[in-house]
């Protein structure tokens, strides 16, 4: 029976749309944890009611904001240690969806158990939150690893931005429901506002559970497990060896190393802002939980627009410009936030800051995720997104630690915000393209990369390299050549040694000179 290419193309497009919808719905689901628990309600409740002035370590009182920041840092440290190994195991066994399930379900249960945390029970609250945050962040490793299966390489930026936008929409809708629960607790059957507030934590877990289900029905493991008959200990050792090899390969790519260090710094600032913004508004400006919800609804609304627009910008102009615009904007906004009130009304200024910051909040995260997806080789998605998770979690360690230490020593949240702006300045400096001279000693313009490559091959005239029979059948052996993201601006140049080795493998110089003559 004949196959019609047009019908096959239509079926493939339908499958991509279905995968994008399921992928985006998971972002729609887990944003409930990121907003209600991490950013808005539980963070403020833990800082003011659960810990407050009652927490103490080794006889020394610890402020609530400091303890919250250190819980976030501890959770991120655990994920940073486990992330790459878990990703490598998932890639070798072809079990990314099942690994996602194994972290997603405990995360949902632990989120619902936050209902048990009463004021003053800071040990229970810190333990449950830290464990839930570890499950949430670990699940994100395997979720992000599914991105290359959602869209073609050229459309990854737009697909990632669309999913981020849907995620912010999900977090916003749940915040609206939480706002109604807090303002009218009797309507939902609660006796007081504290019971309604604790029920909001349960709603985040239920929301995360319900809207994640389509992903587990749509995505199927397409790879056969390669770990059958092997012990878990042996496979873990193989995974660690694979991660070590990946780290060495990454270190050979100078541009990728620069991007990772840049991401480490600016994402440090982003994660600190996300986890501490509600506490800053409550402690410094006296915002109520209902006001904080509306404030974050504004951020979510602008983040939906920003993630989609900057995702398209990344596809059309390159990921580096989109990221640089966001980093510079965040540096200016955090500097303003540390002196909020300088124009006369601190509360109005904070609302303006939140609306503008939301535009770049979604954009910088989606552009970073799609840039990583561009150069990941097929079959190593979870492992390399594990490295991506390492950078984001390591980033989330130092920012809250510095922020909490400054609050502990100075007693002011503004000094912590001022330190965050320095992370954006340093991250932008690392991400900026290096200024290299384009001319040679004689003052003439340097030849194009293709002409220099031809001259290395032995063609002194600089004529274009002819396409010879058998070229397409030559396997690409280098790790870097399997990464389409190296065609991104800033990634096109490889080292001279690698170019010469590739040329010698593909074609002898004498054969090329004969072909050009």
């Amino acid at each position: 029976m004949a196959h019609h290419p047009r019908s096959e193309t239509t079926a493939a497009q339908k499958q991509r749309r279905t995968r994008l919808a399921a992928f985006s719905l998971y972002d729609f689901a887990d944003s409930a944890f990121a907003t209600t628990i991490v950013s808005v309600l539980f963070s403020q409740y833990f800082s003011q009611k659960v810990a407050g002035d009652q927490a103490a370590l080794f006889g020394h009182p610890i402020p609530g904001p400091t303890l919250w920041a250190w819980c976030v840092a501890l959770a991120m440290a655990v994920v940073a240690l486990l992330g790459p190994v878990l990703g490598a195991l998932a890639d070798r066994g072809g079990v990314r969806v099942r690994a996602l399930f194994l972290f997603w379900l405990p995360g949902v249960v632990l989120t619902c158990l936050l209902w048990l945390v009463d004021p003053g029970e800071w040990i229970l609250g810190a333990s449950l939150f830290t464990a839930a945050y570890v499950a949430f962040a670990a699940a994100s490793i395997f979720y992000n690893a599914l991105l290359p299966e959602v869209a073609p390489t050229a459309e990854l930026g737009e697909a990632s931005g669309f999913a981020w936008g849907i995620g912010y929409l999900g977090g916003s809708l749940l915040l609206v429901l939480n706002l109604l629960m807090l303002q009218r607790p009797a309507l939902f059957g609660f006796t007081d506002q504290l019971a309604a507030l604790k029920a909001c934590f349960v709603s985040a877990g239920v929301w995360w559970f319900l809207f994640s289900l389509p992903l587990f029905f749509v995505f199927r493991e397409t790879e056969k497990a390669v770990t059958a008959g092997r012990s878990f200990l042996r496979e873990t050792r193989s995974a660690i060896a694979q991660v070590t090899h990946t780290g060495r390969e990454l270190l050979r790519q100078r541009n990728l190393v620069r991007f990772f260090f840049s991401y480490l710094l600016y994402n440090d600032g982003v994660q600190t802002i996300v986890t501490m913004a509600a506490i800053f508004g409550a402690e410094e400006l006296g915002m109520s939980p209902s006001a904080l919800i509306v404030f974050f609804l504004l951020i979510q609304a602008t983040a939906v627009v920003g993630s989609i627009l900057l995702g398209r910008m990344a596809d059309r102009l390159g990921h580096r410009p989109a990221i640089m615009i966001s980093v510079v904007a965040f540096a200016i906004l955090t500097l303003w936030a540390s002196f909020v009130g300088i124009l006369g009304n601190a509360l109005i200024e904070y609302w303006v800051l939140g609306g503008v910051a939301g535009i770049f909040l979604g954009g910088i995260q989606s552009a970073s995720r799609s840039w990583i997806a561009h150069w990941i080789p097929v079959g190593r998605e979870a492992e390399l997104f594990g490295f991506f998770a390492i950078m984001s979690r390591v980033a989330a360690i130092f920012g809250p630690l510095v922020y909490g230490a400054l609050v502990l020593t100075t007693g002011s949240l503004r000094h912590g915000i001022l330190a965050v702006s320095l992370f954006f300045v340093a991250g932008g400096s690392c991400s900026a393209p290096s200024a290299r001279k384009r001319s040679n000693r004689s003052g003439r313009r340097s030849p194009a990369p293709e002409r220099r490559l031809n001259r290395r091959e032995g063609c002194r005239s600089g004529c274009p390299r002819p396409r010879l029979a058998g070229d397409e059948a030559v396997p690409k052996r280098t790790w870097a050549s399997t990464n389409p993201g190296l065609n991104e601006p800033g990634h096109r140049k490889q080292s001279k040694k690698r170019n010469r080795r590739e040329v010698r493998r593909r074609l002898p110089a004498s054969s090329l000179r004969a072909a050009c003559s």
Side-chain angles (χ1 to χ4, degrees):
M1 184 175 179
H3 294 281
H4 297 284
R6 185 173 182 180
S7 62
E8 292 179 356
T9 303
T10 304
Q13 292 175 350
K14 183 178 179 180
Q15 183 183 26
R16 283 200 300 268
R17 287 195 296 265
T18 303
R19 285 176 173 264
L20 178 59
F23 184 83
S24 302
L25 272 178
Y26 185 88
D27 222 326
F28 184 91
D30 75 343
S31 293
F33 183 89
T35 54
T36 297
I37 304 300
V38 179
S39 300
V40 188
L41 292 182
F42 189 77
S43 60
Q44 183 261 348
Y45 173 69
F46 182 89
S47 175
Q48 291 188 330
K49 303 293 184 181
V50 178
D53 298 327
Q54 307 175 41
L57 292 176
F58 306 107
H60 298 282
I62 304 295
T66 298
L67 185 59
W68 173 259
W70 288 353
C71 287
V72 172
L74 177 61
M76 295 302 97
V78 173
V79 176
L81 292 175
L82 297 179
V85 176
L86 293 174
L89 283 172
D91 276 337
R92 292 178 66 84
V95 291
R96 285 191 287 270
V97 178
R98 279 175 280 179
L100 171 60
F101 180 86
L102 290 178
F103 284 99
W104 160 77
L105 189 58
V108 168
V109 174
L110 290 167
T111 302
C112 294
L113 289 178
L114 293 175
W115 164 275
L116 302 175
V117 180
D118 292 322
E121 298 181 345
W122 63 273
I123 296 179
L124 177 63
S127 302
L128 286 177
F129 168 74
T130 303
Y133 204 3
V134 167
F136 167 80
S140 299
I141 296 175
F142 305 104
Y143 166 68
N144 289 331
L146 297 175
L147 179 59
E149 301 180 25
V150 173
T153 303
E155 301 174 7
L156 284 177
E158 188 170 352
S160 179
F162 178 79
W164 276 107
I166 295 298
Y168 283 115
L169 178 62
S172 301
L173 292 178
L174 181 61
L175 284 179
V176 171
L177 177 61
N178 295 153
L179 180 62
L180 292 176
M181 294 169 65
L182 292 175
Q183 290 185 341
R184 298 183 179 181
L187 183 63
F188 294 88
F190 303 117
T191 56
D192 54 12
Q193 194 174 30
L194 178 60
L197 179 61
K198 294 169 69 176
C200 291
F201 309 150
V202 180
S203 69
V206 174
W207 188 281
W208 187 8
F209 174 79
L210 291 178
F211 293 102
S212 298
L213 293 176
L215 181 138
F216 298 104
F217 289 103
V218 171
F219 283 85
R220 293 287 185 269
E221 304 294 355
T222 56
E223 305 170 6
K224 293 183 179 180
V226 298
T227 61
R230 300 184 185 181
S231 65
F232 178 77
L233 181 60
R234 181 178 178 183
E235 199 54 45
T236 302
R237 291 175 180 173
S238 299
I240 294 175
Q242 182 180 352
V243 169
T244 304
H245 175 71
T246 302
R248 292 173 180 172
E249 294 288 354
L250 286 174
L251 289 176
R252 296 176 184 176
Q253 308 298 321
R254 290 183 299 175
N255 288 323
L256 300 185
V257 172
R258 284 186 60 194
F259 167 72
F260 271 129
F261 276 108
S262 172
Y263 180 78
L264 172 67
L265 292 168
Y266 71 70
N267 193 64
D268 204 338
V270 171
Q271 296 299 326
T272 306
I273 288 175
V274 169
T275 55
M276 305 304 296
I279 297 176
F280 183 88
E283 297 277 348
E284 287 288 327
L285 306 177
M287 298 176 68
S288 65
S290 299
L292 287 173
I293 288 178
V294 179
F295 176 73
F296 272 86
L297 283 174
L298 172 64
I299 295 178
Q300 300 283 63
T302 55
V304 171
V305 178
S307 60
I308 295 175
L309 292 180
L310 288 174
R312 293 181 178 179
M313 178 188 296
D315 285 337
R316 288 164 174 75
L317 302 180
H319 293 79
R320 190 191 301 273
I323 291 175
M324 283 298 300
I325 290 173
S326 301
V327 169
V328 172
F330 267 118
I332 297 173
L333 292 174
T334 50
L335 186 63
W336 184 10
S338 62
F339 297 100
V340 67
I342 194 172
L343 301 180
N345 193 320
L347 193 57
I348 294 179
E349 291 179 32
Y350 198 62
W351 281 86
V352 173
L353 281 169
V356 177
I359 297 176
F360 302 100
L361 179 62
I364 195 171
Q365 292 174 322
S366 65
S368 300
R369 181 171 66 178
S370 60
W371 197 5
I372 291 289
H374 266 281
W375 52 263
I376 289 181
V378 176
R380 300 175 70 181
E381 293 87 355
E383 177 194 354
L384 290 175
F385 267 110
F387 269 90
F388 182 72
I390 271 196
M391 304 312 293
S392 61
R393 307 317 169 194
V394 168
I397 294 172
F398 295 106
L401 280 178
V402 172
Y403 189 96
L406 286 174
V407 173
L408 180 63
T409 54
T410 65
S412 173
L413 297 176
R414 293 175 181 261
H415 291 92
I417 292 293
L418 184 61
V420 171
S421 63
L422 299 179
F423 287 104
F424 289 111
V425 173
S429 301
C430 291
S431 182
S434 58
R436 296 182 179 180
K437 295 182 179 181
R438 295 286 181 177
S439 58
N440 52 25
R441 293 183 179 180
S442 61
R444 295 179 299 176
R445 183 180 178 182
S446 299
E450 295 82 8
R451 297 175 64 86
R452 290 198 298 270
L453 180 62
N454 288 331
R455 289 176 182 179
R456 293 191 190 105
E457 291 172 340
C459 180
R460 298 185 178 181
S461 62
C463 58
R465 183 187 186 280
R467 183 178 296 274
L468 302 177
D471 276 359
E472 296 179 356
V474 177
K476 298 182 178 181
R477 300 177 182 175
T478 60
W479 181 86
S481 62
T482 63
N483 295 289
L486 293 177
N487 293 324
E488 281 283 322
H491 292 252
R492 294 174 181 171
K493 294 183 179 180
Q494 300 178 349
S495 65
K496 295 181 179 180
K497 185 180 295 183
R498 182 174 288 105
N499 275 334
R500 286 196 293 267
R501 184 169 63 249
E502 184 73 13
V503 167
R504 286 195 299 267
R505 180 182 64 80
R506 292 177 65 87
L507 191 67
S510 59
S511 300
L512 181 62
R513 284 195 295 269
C516 293
S517 60

